[in-house]
Amino acid sequence: MADLSAFPVTSKWPARHPERIQLYSLPTPNGVKVSIMLEECDLPYEAHRVSFDAADQTSPEFRSLNPNGKIPAILDPNGPEGPLPLFESGAILVYLAGKAGNFMPQTVHGKYEALQWVMFQMGGIGPMFGQVGFFSKFAGKDYDDKRPRDRYVSEAKRLLGVLDGQLATRSWILGSDYSIADIATFPWIRNLVGFYGAGELVGFDQFTNVKRVLETFLARPGVQRGLTIPG
Ligand SMILES: N[C@@H](CCC(=O)N[C@@H](CS)C(=O)NCC(=O)O)C(=O)O
């Protein structure tokens, strides 16, 4: 039986199954990337809810795992060199792809292509779409000056155009194979048009290839399960 007692996060969220990957998350666009990946890979894991209402992400126990105070984070009791704590959803997806031997191309060129699109999501789509949400749905929507909102909307449109071009001749971001690039990206597209309600603002209807692949993504059983975890 794995001993995770050296990790303070387990005192706040006790592991009932310490031999399984421990996931600390919420079903947000960054959080579900990891639950979808775990479901798609069929890896055994135990999910713990990090409640934003209770500011759990700022607790010393959670910060001992992620000093950046953001979900998702994992603790793998069976890491290659012992228990492995990990935060940043992109790094977690790369790690899990290696562990499961799935959703990552086998060739060196293919791997870097996958990483390139994961970075595109992490550095572009995630942060920019997040700002669109702030300025169109949350506190920023009441600001009189609309220039910040317009700047982020315009950048979100540009990024959607790049993705739409990539998907014009492909089933998934890398081609015919579903990968961590898709798992990183499509939860954010769903969130932009769903939870943020910014579809009209960014002219989502014109991005027909992104729309098509989003629908295929959302129809996957592993995606549907992952979107609700932790319940
Ligand atoms: N780059 C990070 C971003 C994580 C992130 O922003 N998580 C949000 C939820 S989607 C969060 O924990 N927000 C809580 C807070 O900022 O207090 C990743 O991809 O893991």
Side-chain angles (χ1 to χ4, degrees):
M1 182 76 78
D3 180 10
L4 296 178
S5 58
F7 295 89
V9 72
T10 63
S11 63
K12 189 170 172 72
W13 290 276
R16 286 182 309 277
H17 303 282
E19 70 288 357
R20 299 182 189 171
I21 294 171
Q22 303 291 302
L23 168 67
Y24 307 89
S25 191
L26 257 192
T28 70
N30 288 317
V32 299
K33 290 178 201 170
V34 177
S35 43
I36 289 171
M37 180 68 176
L38 287 162
E39 289 290 331
E40 293 274 28
C41 293
D42 210 14
L43 285 166
Y45 70 101
E46 178 176 353
H48 303 279
R49 190 177 176 87
V50 178
S51 166
F52 289 171
D53 290 342
D56 281 345
Q57 74 276 28
T58 66
S59 65
E61 293 89 347
F62 186 76
R63 282 184 187 273
S64 70
L65 190 58
N66 182 358
N68 194 32
K70 290 183 187 288
I71 61 100
I74 63 166
L75 175 56
D76 182 358
N78 303 305
E81 292 143 11
L84 176 73
L86 205 56
F87 65 87
E88 281 296 327
S89 58
I92 298 171
L93 289 180
V94 173
Y95 173 69
L96 294 176
K99 185 177 177 87
N102 222 336
F103 306 126
M104 178 74 123
Q106 292 300 311
T107 64
V108 175
H109 283 208
K111 275 185 187 140
Y112 282 108
E113 197 190 351
L115 287 179
Q116 151 190 290
W117 285 102
V118 170
M119 301 282 176
F120 172 80
Q121 185 285 309
M122 295 294 291
I125 286 187
M128 294 303 123
F129 286 16
Q131 295 299 333
V132 170
F134 177 81
F135 285 104
S136 67
K137 181 178 167 103
F138 301 112
K141 78 174 187 314
D142 300 322
Y143 295 176
D144 290 334
D145 186 348
K146 297 300 174 202
R147 284 174 297 181
R149 184 199 70 178
D150 293 347
R151 175 180 161 82
Y152 291 116
V153 167
S154 146
E155 180 60 2
K157 280 184 179 170
R158 197 189 64 76
L159 292 166
L160 283 166
V162 173
L163 188 59
D164 205 64
Q166 176 71 4
L167 293 170
T169 55
R170 294 172 179 83
S171 307
W172 297 106
I173 293 177
L174 298 186
S176 52
D177 291 337
Y178 177 62
S179 74
I180 56 169
D182 304 295
I183 296 175
T185 303
F186 285 99
W188 270 103
I189 309 282
R190 169 183 180 262
N191 196 64
L192 182 74
V193 297
F195 185 56
Y196 290 169
E200 209 171 310
L201 205 54
V202 300
F204 191 64
D205 281 346
Q206 70 191 275
F207 302 108
T208 51
N209 301 303
V210 177
K211 275 183 95 166
R212 164 180 52 83
V213 183
L214 174 65
E215 281 166 25
T216 313
F217 177 76
L218 293 176
R220 293 179 69 92
V223 170
Q224 289 173 8
R225 290 194 301 276
L227 285 171
T228 65
I229 292 170

